[in-house]
Amino acid sequence: WCVPLEKTVSVTFPGDVLKNMTDMELAESYLKRFGYMNVQHRSGFQSMVSTSKALMRMQRQMGLEETGTLDKSTVAAMKAPRCGVPDIRS
Amino acid sequence: YQTFEGDLKWDHHDVTYRILNYSPDMEASLIDDAFARAFKVWSDVTPLTFTRLFDGTADIMVSFGKADHGDGYPFDGKDGLLAHAFPPGEGIQGDAHFDDDENWTLGKGAAVKTSFGNAEGALCHFPFSFEGKEYSTCTTEGRSDNLPWCATTADYGRDKKFGFCPSELLYTFDGNSNGKECVFPFVFLGETYEGCTTEGRSDGYRWCSTTENFDKDKKYGFCPNRDTAVIGGNSEGEPCQFPFVFLGKKYDSCTSEGRGDGRLWCATTSDFDADTKWGFCPDRGYSLFLVAAHEFGHALGLDHSNIRDALMYPMYSYVEDFSLHEDDVEGIQYLYVKCYSFNSLHSFPLSSHPGSKTGPDPTPPGPTIPTPGPSDEPEPNTPTTTTTSPTTTHPVDPSQDACQINKFDAITEIDGDLHFFKDGQYWRLSSKTDGGLKGPFSMSERWPALPAVIDTAFEDLVTKKIYFFSGTRFWVYTGQSLLGPRSIDKLGLPSTVEKVEGALQRGKGKVLLFSGENYWRLDVKGQNIDKGYPRFTDIVFGGVPNDAHDVFHFKGHIYFCRDRFYWRMNSRRQVDRVGYVKYDILKC
């Protein structure tokens, strides 16, 4: 009855720097790398903000809809080529 | 725009730069030109000049590197991170690094500059036709020496204009051989090599010996990438091999099969399954000019902007006819153009005659004769009439002591005096004299339309209009004439804003309005909020409370108040003092 579905094969390419990551892994790494996760307090003590709040900050910075969730446009923005300087200073 | 914490910037205007190495993707003169144009972007709108050094230490050291290139901030292979730069300062500060796992171009595919031939170094014209066939890359067709070439016009048969494309058979770059071509085969550590290699290096750059024995002569250079070469993978510099076999299937062109990221790749041998040699297919690449202009913005002191069209927006996008966005111009001029400096913005002359709006003081300088008593208020030092306060105001309740108030409704500087508002009354503190605190005065006498409780106020430094905010409404007083109340959404503030809690004048006609943990920049003349707002207060004003209920300027500092305390920020946006409003400001 059904047309056979073509199986998507994912290959680990030798020497490839970018590893296959889930969107959530990508998001966490992105939010940390660009300064959205860490918040420095007046005392100098650093703490992590929630992923949802960090996502909202990132979405605001990038001019995306502030949903606080890892939606399609946010993932696309995280995969886009960019400068390596963090967006949020510590 | 944003600047780095402390407004890091060069303390001189004659900034130097040095290009430490080159990318194999583009011919050196194209890279030099891209960098020079990128610096010009900034020198065109500032008094800055950029001078290139060829040795020694420059302010901005520019280099290409791959992955872990020694500064603790590794790149990540092709795409993703493109480059980074450090804010101004000594050592690595000010330096700009470009990821050489990217395909650096002028933004529209390989920029192939020719050598020799008869086109005087012109760029290849792709596609070009040669003997009835169209070519989109350099070719070795028609030659027996295996040198890749291209036409520099669309039709070689008609124009006969051509040049040779970058190849290791023509020249090398960097190294110690003055650009001499590779010699194949060559010997390295006893092994014979027939082509460029990355052996013996940890940075992945392809090199060759420029004599037949490297072990003996130690002469080498780096191989330029051919326009047909793959990027990254494990075969950098090799051409795609078509057809190739991948998972038992034959491919005649680049494919994204097997990859989750959709990027096109090819094998560089005929059988990927057996050899696993591959690389990404050449693409449009990234404009070195655009990325460099962005990075040099960092190297001059600009942080990322959240305006999508600004050069300092963190993501890359190619634009054909580049021009600097006004946000970038404002940012760089804030740092380097004197009349736009933070300090000068807040050093507008404070009138010694509050309320005088008719120009310079017509009275000759000299001692004033103070008249004792509260009836001097509000203008104890001047007999001139004022437009802001033509009626004499009187203290309404001398027993009211500002020192008993822990939290004021609003604090702002009007006519050079700090005004403290609370429940329909206000006090004044002169910023120029040590006359102490005067008041309380009745708000209803001076500004009769205002409610008893206001949330914030500011005086527009250009028009001298005074804006008052209470809840979702605002009033504008020009002398005694009044506009309002109007809804704050007329200013472009979103309907979710319940009140404006602080206001900071920021340059002529710009005021920052604070509410909750956000702030907006109001264009006072245009009566609208600038693009790119709101922003988080704690991101730009690090170290102050997120829930300040008063924000104001006073004597060149910014104050954020919460409860009875204030956080004072200097012009470098450093919190330099935290104290009590009552003791430190009111001198209770």
Side-chain angles (χ1 to χ4, degrees):
Chain A
W1 292 97
C2 302
V3 177
L5 292 172
E6 209 171 289
K7 197 178 163 196
T8 310
V9 182
S10 188
V11 172
T12 302
F13 285 81
D16 200 351
V17 181
L18 293 173
K19 305 289 177 229
N20 286 327
M21 280 200 265
T22 64
D23 284 350
M24 190 43 85
E25 286 168 337
L26 168 77
E28 283 184 4
S29 135
Y30 188 99
L31 295 172
K32 273 181 200 159
R33 181 194 286 268
F34 296 110
Y36 295 102
M37 287 294 259
N38 287 320
V39 168
Q40 185 144 19
H41 293 268
R42 286 188 298 281
S43 60
F45 145 83
Q46 277 200 341
S47 71
M48 302 279 277
V49 299
S50 70
T51 304
S52 169
K53 190 164 182 190
L55 274 172
M56 281 186 75
R57 285 174 170 235
M58 180 262 175
Q59 287 161 339
R60 177 175 294 183
Q61 176 72 18
M62 298 299 172
L64 304 169
E65 194 188 347
E66 294 176 44
T67 60
T69 59
L70 196 54
D71 49 37
K72 225 174 179 181
S73 56
T74 305
V75 173
M78 287 176 171
K79 287 180 176 171
R82 58 161 292 156
C83 172
V85 174
D87 298 327
I88 308 293
R89 60 183 73 139
S90 71
Chain B
Y1 65 86
Q2 285 193 71
T3 54
F4 291 105
E5 189 156 4
D7 285 348
L8 295 172
K9 63 179 195 173
W10 298 106
D11 58 8
H12 50 283
H13 283 178
D14 50 337
V15 178
T16 57
Y17 72 98
R18 183 178 159 197
I19 302 169
L20 293 177
N21 61 1
Y22 288 92
S23 167
D25 298 339
M26 281 205 289
E27 205 263 343
S29 65
L30 288 180
I31 293 176
D32 289 344
D33 180 62
F35 287 145
R37 285 186 293 124
F39 279 118
K40 189 171 182 299
V41 163
W42 299 110
S43 60
D44 277 351
V45 294
T46 60
L48 296 171
T49 61
F50 298 99
T51 306
R52 183 175 172 190
L53 302 185
F54 290 87
D55 52 25
T57 305
D59 295 321
I60 300 173
M61 302 286 252
V62 182
S63 61
F64 292 89
K66 297 179 181 188
D68 193 347
H69 53 283
D71 62 3
Y73 299 93
F75 289 128
D76 57 355
K78 186 169 165 11
D79 302 323
L81 305 181
L82 307 182
H84 57 218
F86 297 84
E90 293 289 312
I92 200 171
Q93 299 295 110
D95 294 356
H97 301 160
F98 297 83
D99 183 359
D100 224 347
D101 276 326
E102 309 306 341
N103 180 23
W104 292 112
T105 65
L106 298 177
K108 294 197 293 182
V112 185
K113 192 174 190 313
T114 60
S115 312
F116 306 111
N118 61 3
E120 294 171 354
L123 297 182
C124 290
H125 188 291
F126 296 128
F128 67 90
S129 64
F130 170 59
E131 293 188 344
K133 201 174 155 191
E134 205 155 80
Y135 293 84
S136 295
T137 62
C138 298
T139 180
T140 56
E141 287 295 314
R143 296 199 63 88
S144 56
D145 54 11
N146 215 26
L147 283 176
W149 70 278
C150 69
T152 58
T153 65
D155 187 347
Y156 176 77
R158 186 189 62 206
D159 304 318
K160 297 277 189 288
K161 286 286 190 188
F162 82 106
F164 291 97
C165 301
S167 122
E168 68 281 7
L169 303 176
L170 211 58
Y171 65 86
T172 58
F173 67 95
D174 291 341
N176 61 0
S177 300
N178 269 337
K180 277 185 71 180
E181 72 276 17
C182 296
V183 171
F184 298 123
F186 68 89
V187 175
F188 168 56
L189 295 178
E191 295 273 323
T192 300
Y193 290 83
E194 295 284 352
C196 299
T197 181
T198 56
E199 287 297 315
R201 299 192 63 87
S202 57
D203 57 13
Y205 280 99
R206 297 165 65 244
W207 69 280
C208 69
S209 172
T210 54
T211 68
E212 58 192 24
N213 193 325
F214 176 82
D215 297 342
K216 192 172 82 177
D217 304 318
K218 305 282 189 240
K219 300 298 275 184
Y220 76 104
F222 293 97
C223 302
N225 281 348
R226 296 185 182 208
D227 64 323
T228 51
V230 297
I231 302 146
N234 58 2
S235 304
E236 170 99 25
E238 299 292 325
C240 291
Q241 177 70 51
F242 298 121
F244 66 89
V245 174
F246 171 58
L247 298 180
K249 197 175 155 190
K250 205 178 246 187
Y251 290 85
D252 283 306
S253 60
C254 296
T255 179
S256 60
E257 286 296 310
R259 298 194 62 86
D261 55 14
R263 293 191 292 175
L264 292 171
W265 67 279
C266 68
T268 55
T269 67
S270 58
D271 191 343
F272 177 84
D273 299 340
D275 306 320
T276 62
K277 300 294 280 182
W278 70 285
F280 293 109
C281 294
D283 51 19
R284 290 168 66 88
Y286 297 111
S287 163
L288 183 62
F289 159 70
L290 288 176
V291 176
H294 174 102
E295 298 308 328
F296 296 160
H298 287 312
L300 296 175
L302 288 180
D303 205 342
H304 282 150
S305 166
N306 61 357
I307 293 185
R308 197 178 281 262
D309 293 333
L311 176 64
M312 294 314 293
Y313 188 72
M315 284 182 199
Y316 172 88
S317 61
Y318 177 71
V319 279
E320 178 107 39
D321 300 310
F322 171 79
S323 66
L324 204 51
H325 192 277
E326 66 181 86
D327 182 66
D328 303 307
V329 176
E330 276 185 34
I332 202 70
Q333 293 191 344
Y334 165 70
L335 288 172
Y336 292 103
V337 179
K338 206 173 176 189
C339 64
Y340 209 93
S341 76
F342 188 88
N343 284 327
S344 65
L345 287 180
H346 303 294
S347 59
F348 285 88
L350 301 173
S351 168
S352 59
H353 302 289
S356 170
K357 299 290 184 292
T358 53
D361 182 0
T363 57
T368 54
I369 305 164
T371 313
S375 60
D376 292 339
E377 298 299 335
E379 321 298 354
N381 293 338
T382 174
T384 58
T385 57
T386 67
T387 52
T388 52
S389 182
T391 53
T392 305
T393 56
H394 303 276
V396 288
D397 185 358
S399 65
Q400 283 285 332
D401 182 2
C403 289
Q404 300 301 314
I405 296 171
N406 280 332
K407 183 178 167 184
F408 289 94
D409 295 336
I411 305 175
T412 193
E413 200 172 18
I414 297 173
D415 266 337
D417 290 346
L418 206 54
H419 287 58
F420 298 79
F421 294 89
K422 181 73 176 177
D423 295 338
Q425 300 183 130
Y426 71 97
W427 289 259
R428 284 196 0 235
L429 182 70
S430 169
S431 59
K432 293 190 87 177
T433 64
D434 291 327
L437 192 67
K438 302 280 168 55
F441 309 105
S442 167
M443 286 170 62
S444 61
E445 281 192 33
R446 189 164 175 190
W447 302 291
L450 296 184
V453 177
I454 61 166
D455 299 320
T456 197
F458 71 86
E459 180 184 39
D460 178 18
L461 297 172
V462 179
T463 61
K464 298 290 179 186
K465 290 179 179 177
I466 305 171
Y467 288 67
F468 296 93
F469 293 80
S470 180
T472 56
R473 297 180 302 165
F474 73 101
W475 295 255
V476 184
Y477 267 97
T478 311
Q480 279 303 105
S481 57
L482 169 73
L483 182 71
R486 303 181 74 200
S487 169
I488 57 173
D489 61 19
K490 299 284 183 215
L491 298 174
L493 289 169
S495 55
T496 49
V497 172
E498 291 174 356
K499 59 180 177 178
V500 178
E501 291 163 299
L504 278 183
Q505 293 94 335
R506 188 162 163 92
K508 288 183 179 174
K510 301 281 185 185
V511 175
L512 305 184
L513 299 177
F514 294 78
S515 180
E517 58 181 16
N518 300 305
Y519 74 93
W520 291 257
R521 191 169 70 194
L522 173 69
D523 184 308
V524 183
K525 193 177 173 193
Q527 294 280 290
N528 52 29
I529 297 295
D530 284 340
K531 271 199 281 183
Y533 293 84
R535 295 182 180 178
F536 284 107
T537 303
D538 64 345
I539 290 173
V540 177
F541 301 93
V544 301
N546 234 349
D547 52 351
H549 52 75
D550 289 321
V551 187
F552 60 93
H553 273 294
F554 188 51
K555 292 183 177 177
H557 287 87
I558 302 170
Y559 289 77
F560 292 80
C561 297
R562 185 171 68 186
D563 196 40
R564 71 194 73 178
F565 308 104
Y566 70 84
W567 281 253
R568 191 177 81 175
M569 192 167 252
N570 62 22
S571 60
R572 297 170 68 84
R573 290 207 208 131
Q574 296 159 331
V575 174
D576 61 3
R577 191 178 172 90
V578 179
Y580 289 90
V581 173
K582 162 187 311 194
Y583 302 118
D584 299 344
I585 302 177
L586 295 176
K587 307 288 183 199
C588 293

